C-alpha cells in the first residue's frame, strides 16, 4: 500500500495494484499531458512533446519540461479508466532520472501502452519509446540512442 500526494484534480488516497480508490477529476484541461480520453473510455492519448525534466541554460534561465512524477500520476489515473494508452513522443530527451520515472510507470501499468515516435525520440526519450507493448515510428521520424555523458568509449 502506497500513499501518494494530492496532485491537481486527483485525490489519491490508498493505492496499490488491486485497490485504486475512486479518483475525482475536474476537467480534462486540468491535465498536463493527457490529450484526450475516448468517449467509450477504451483509449486515451498522452503527448510527450517536450524535453524530459527541467533544464537550466548558461544564463540561469530554467526551461520546464516533462515532469516524471506528474506523468506517472496521470498515467496511473488513465490506467484505472481505460484499457489502451497511446503515448506519442516528440522529444529531444533530457534528464535521465525523470525519464526513469516515466519508464517505470509505463512498464508497471496495467493498461496496454502503445508508443509512437512522431518526430524525434532522442536520448532518454528513445528508451521511453522502447517501453511500449507496441512501438511505431513515422516514416520521417528519428530515433537516437547514445552512450551516457562522460563515459569514455574507444
Amino acid at each position: 500500500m502506497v500513499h501518494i500526494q494530492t496532485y491537481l484534480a486527483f485525490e489519491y488516497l490508498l493505492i496499490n495494484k488491486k485497490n485504486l480508490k475512486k479518483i475525482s477529476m475536474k476537467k480534462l484541461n486540468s491535465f498536463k499531458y493527457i490529450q484526450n480520453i475516448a468517449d467509450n473510455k477504451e483509449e486515451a492519448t498522452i503527448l510527450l512533446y517536450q524535453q524530459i525534466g527541467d533544464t537550466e541554460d548558461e544564463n540561469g534561465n530554467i526551461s520546464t519540461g516533462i515532469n516524471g512524477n506528474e506523468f506517472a500520476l496521470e498515467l496511473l489515473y488513465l490506467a484505472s479508466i481505460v484499457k489502451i494508452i497511446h503515448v506519442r513522443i516528440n522529444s529531444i530527451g533530457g534528464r535521465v532520472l525523470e525519464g526513469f520515472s516515466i519508464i517505470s510507470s509505463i512498464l508497471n501499468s496495467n493498461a496496454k501502452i502503445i508508443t509512437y515516435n512522431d518526430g524525434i525520440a532522442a536520448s532518454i526519450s528513445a528508451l521511453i519509446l522502447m517501453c511500449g507493448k507496441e512501438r511505431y515510428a513515422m516514416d520521417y521520424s528519428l530515433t537516437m540512442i547514445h552512450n551516457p555523458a562522460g563515459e569514455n568509449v574507444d
Side-chain angles (χ1 to χ4, degrees), residues 11-76:
E11 294 171 11
Y12 290 89
L13 300 175
L14 297 172
I15 297 175
N16 64 29
K17 291 192 182 214
K18 294 181 183 174
N19 181 21
L20 181 59
K21 295 280 184 180
K22 184 73 175 170
I23 298 171
S24 63
M25 174 179 74
K26 291 179 185 173
K27 293 181 180 176
L28 185 60
N29 64 7
S30 69
F31 293 106
K32 191 169 181 180
Y33 309 113
I34 298 172
Q35 283 303 289
N36 65 43
I37 300 172
D39 290 337
N40 62 5
K41 296 211 176 185
E42 293 287 319
E43 299 184 34
T45 302
I46 295 180
L47 295 182
L48 296 182
Y49 274 28
Q50 295 175 322
Q51 67 196 16
I52 307 300
D54 298 341
T55 58
E56 185 176 346
D57 67 14
E58 62 277 353
N59 298 323
N61 299 319
I62 296 176
S63 176
T64 58
I66 297 165
N67 181 290
N69 184 52
E70 292 173 358
F71 176 90
L73 291 172
E74 289 189 20
L75 188 75
L76 182 63

